[in-house]
C-alpha cells in the first residue's frame, strides 16, 4: 500500500520564520520610540502565522490541482500518494478563518483604522495564493515576498503598537524606523524566496512550474540574490546612520549579521551539489527570524524608555 504524505509536511513550517520574524522586526521598530505593546505584537505574530499557513496550503492545493505537486519535494518519493486536494483546500480555509478571528481581535483592540489594512492584506493574500495564476506561483514571487513581508508586515505591526497611544498625528519622524526596517526585511524575505525557488529549480523544470529562477536561470538568480543582499545591508546601514532613530553602535548588528549569513548562502548556492541545496532553505528563513530577534533586543536596549502601561495578562 502506498504511503500517505503527512499533512504537516505540506505546511512548510520553516517559512513561518519569515512572517513571524517580520512582525518581531516591527515590534523592534516600535521599541525604538518606547511604543512596544507585547500583547498587540503577539496577536500580530499569530495572525501572520495563520495567514501564512493558509497561503502555504492554498499554494499546495494549486500544485495538486494542476498536477504540479508530484516530485516537487525531494523528500517525497514517487511511491507516496499526494495529500487529497480537498483536504488541502479545507485546511487553507480553516487557517484563513483563524487568521480572520485574530484580525478581529486586533481590530477590537486598536480601532477602525486597522480595517483598511486588514482588507488590503486579505485581498493581497488572495491574489498571491488563489485564482487561476497565483502570484506566488509566477516569476514575480520574490517581488511579492518583498512587499508583503517587508513594508506591509513590518509597518503594519509597528502601527498597531504605535497609533493607539499616539498623542499627536503620526508623521515621517514616527514611521521612519519602520520604513527602513521594512525595506531591509523585504529584501531578506525576497532572498528567502529566491533560495526556495533556486533549490526547486530542477523539480520545477520537470513539473513545468514557472518561477524567477526557471525563467532567468541559476546564474542570474545568484546575481539578483547578491544585489538584494547588498540592498538590504545598505538600507539597514542607512537607518543606523540616521540621526532621527536614536541608534547606537550596537544597532549596526542588524545590518552586519544578515549580510554575513546571506554571503554564506550565496557561496553555498554556488558550491553545494544540488542534492544538498535544500539545507539552504532553512538557513535563509532562519536569517529573517534571527535578524528580527537581534533588532528587537538591540532596539529595546538602545531605544527610548517604554512608558506604555499596557501589560501581558495584567502582569
Amino acid at each position: 500500500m502506498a504511503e500517505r504524505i503527512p499533512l504537516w509536511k505540506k505546511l512548510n513550517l520553516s517559512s513561518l520564520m519569515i512572517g513571524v520574524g517580520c512582525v518581531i522586526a516591527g515590534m523592534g521598530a516600535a521599541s525604538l520610540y518606547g511604543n512596544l505593546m507585547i500583547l498587540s505584537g503577539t496577536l500580530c505574530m499569530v495572525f501572520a502565522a495563520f495567514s501564512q499557513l493558509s497561503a502555504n496550503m492554498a499554494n499546495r492545493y494549486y500544485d495538486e490541482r494542476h498536477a504540479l505537486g508530484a516530485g516537487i519535494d525531494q523528500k517525497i518519493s514517487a511511491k507516496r500518494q499526494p495529500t487529497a486536494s480537498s483536504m488541502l483546500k479545507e485546511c487553507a480555509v480553516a487557517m484563513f478563518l483563524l487568521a480572520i478571528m485574530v484580525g478581529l481581535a486586533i481590530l477590537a483592540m486598536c480601532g477602525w483604522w486597522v480595517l483598511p489594512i486588514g482588507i488590503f492584506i486579505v485581498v493581497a493574500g488572495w491574489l498571491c495564493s488563489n485564482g487561476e495564476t497565483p502570484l506566488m506561483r509566477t516569476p514575480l514571487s520574490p517581488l511579492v515576498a518583498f512587499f508583503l513581508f517587508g513594508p506591509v508586515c513590518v509597518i503594519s505591526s509597528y502601527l498597531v503598537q504605535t497609533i493607539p497611544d499616539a498623542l499627536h498625528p503620526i508623521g515621517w519622524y514616527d514611521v521612519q524606523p519602520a520604513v527602513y526596517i521594512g525595506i531591509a526585511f523585504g529584501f531578506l524575505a525576497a532572498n528567502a524566496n529566491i533560495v526556495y525557488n533556486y533549490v526547486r529549480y530542477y523539480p520545477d523544470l520537470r513539473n513545468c512550474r514557472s518561477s524567477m529562477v526557471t525563467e532567468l536561470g541559476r546564474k542570474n538568480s545568484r546575481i539578483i540574490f547578491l544585489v538584494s543582499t547588498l540592498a538590504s545591508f545598505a538600507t539597514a546601514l542607512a537607518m543606523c546612520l540616521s540621526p532621527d532613530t536614536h541608534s547606537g553602535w550596537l544597532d549596526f548588528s542588524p545590518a552586519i549579521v544578515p549580510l554575513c549569513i546571506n554571503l554564506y548562502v550565496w557561496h553555498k548556492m554556488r558550491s553545494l551539489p544540488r542534492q544538498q541545496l535544500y539545507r539552504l532553505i532553512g538557513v535563509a528563513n532562519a536569517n529573517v527570524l534571527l535578524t528580527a530577534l537581534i533588532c528587537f533586543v538591540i532596539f529595546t536596549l538602545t531605544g527610548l524608555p517604554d512608558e506604555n502601561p499596557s501589560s501581558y495578562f495584567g502582569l
Side-chain angles (χ1 to χ4, degrees):
M1 182 177 178
E3 183 181 359
R4 182 174 295 275
I5 303 170
L7 183 61
W8 64 269
K9 288 189 176 181
K10 293 288 186 179
L11 295 178
N12 193 14
L13 296 178
S14 173
S15 65
L16 296 183
M17 291 188 284
I18 303 176
V20 172
C22 289
V23 173
I24 295 176
M27 295 173 66
S31 65
L32 268 175
Y33 291 153
N35 297 320
L36 178 62
M37 297 177 63
I38 298 180
L39 181 56
S40 299
T42 302
L43 288 176
C44 289
M45 281 190 281
V46 176
F47 175 82
F50 282 136
S51 300
Q52 196 165 356
L53 286 174
S54 176
N56 290 346
M57 301 300 279
N59 288 330
R60 302 297 275 183
Y61 171 72
Y62 173 85
D63 292 338
E64 297 290 346
R65 188 161 56 93
H66 291 81
L68 300 177
I72 282 183
D73 292 327
Q74 298 177 359
K75 297 180 180 179
I76 299 177
S77 64
K79 296 182 180 180
R80 292 183 175 180
Q81 295 179 351
T83 304
S85 298
S86 59
M87 182 179 295
L88 292 172
K89 184 177 182 180
E90 292 170 359
C91 290
V93 173
M95 296 295 176
F96 173 75
L97 293 177
L98 289 174
I100 291 296
M101 293 176 62
V102 178
L104 291 176
I106 298 174
L107 176 65
M109 177 180 294
C110 300
W112 65 268
W113 65 269
V114 177
L115 185 60
I117 298 178
I119 294 175
F120 172 80
I121 293 175
V122 170
V123 173
W126 176 267
L127 294 176
C128 292
S129 305
N130 294 276
E132 290 300 321
T133 307
L135 292 177
M136 292 303 292
R137 288 298 185 257
T138 68
L140 296 177
S141 59
L143 187 62
V144 173
F146 171 86
F147 281 107
L148 284 185
F149 290 109
V152 173
C153 186
V154 173
I155 296 177
S156 298
S157 173
Y158 171 81
L159 292 178
V160 163
Q161 300 170 76
T162 302
I163 288 184
D165 292 329
L167 300 178
H168 56 82
I170 301 296
W172 168 245
Y173 172 83
D174 302 288
V175 301
Q176 182 180 7
V179 171
Y180 280 125
I181 296 174
I183 294 175
F185 274 82
F187 285 118
L188 294 181
N191 277 355
N193 183 268
I194 293 173
V195 170
Y196 178 86
N197 290 325
Y198 189 90
V199 172
R200 305 298 185 191
Y201 175 72
Y202 291 103
D204 286 351
L205 287 180
R206 290 196 300 268
N207 289 278
C208 299
R209 198 181 81 174
S210 178
S211 70
M212 188 197 74
V213 182
T214 58
E215 295 296 326
L216 300 181
R218 285 154 57 92
K219 181 178 180 180
N220 291 332
S221 298
R222 290 197 302 267
I223 295 175
I224 295 176
F225 179 90
L226 185 59
V227 171
S228 179
T229 296
L230 297 177
S232 175
F233 173 74
T235 304
L237 191 63
M239 183 204 68
C240 295
L241 296 176
S242 174
D244 296 329
T245 55
H246 303 285
S247 298
W249 65 271
L250 284 175
D251 292 345
F252 286 93
S253 300
I256 297 174
V257 172
L259 173 66
C260 297
I261 296 177
N262 276 329
L263 290 179
Y264 167 81
V265 172
W266 177 76
H267 171 70
K268 290 300 181 181
M269 288 169 69
R270 300 180 57 196
S271 59
L272 280 179
R274 68 183 189 183
Q275 295 82 3
Q276 300 179 14
L277 285 174
Y278 70 90
R279 302 174 182 175
L280 298 180
I281 296 177
V283 176
N285 294 340
N287 186 23
V288 180
L289 180 59
L290 176 62
T291 305
L293 291 173
I294 293 175
C295 283
F296 179 76
V297 173
I298 298 300
F299 294 164
T300 301
L301 294 175
T302 62
L304 296 177
D306 188 0
E307 299 178 353
N308 194 332
S310 300
S311 59
Y312 213 3
F313 300 109
L315 299 177

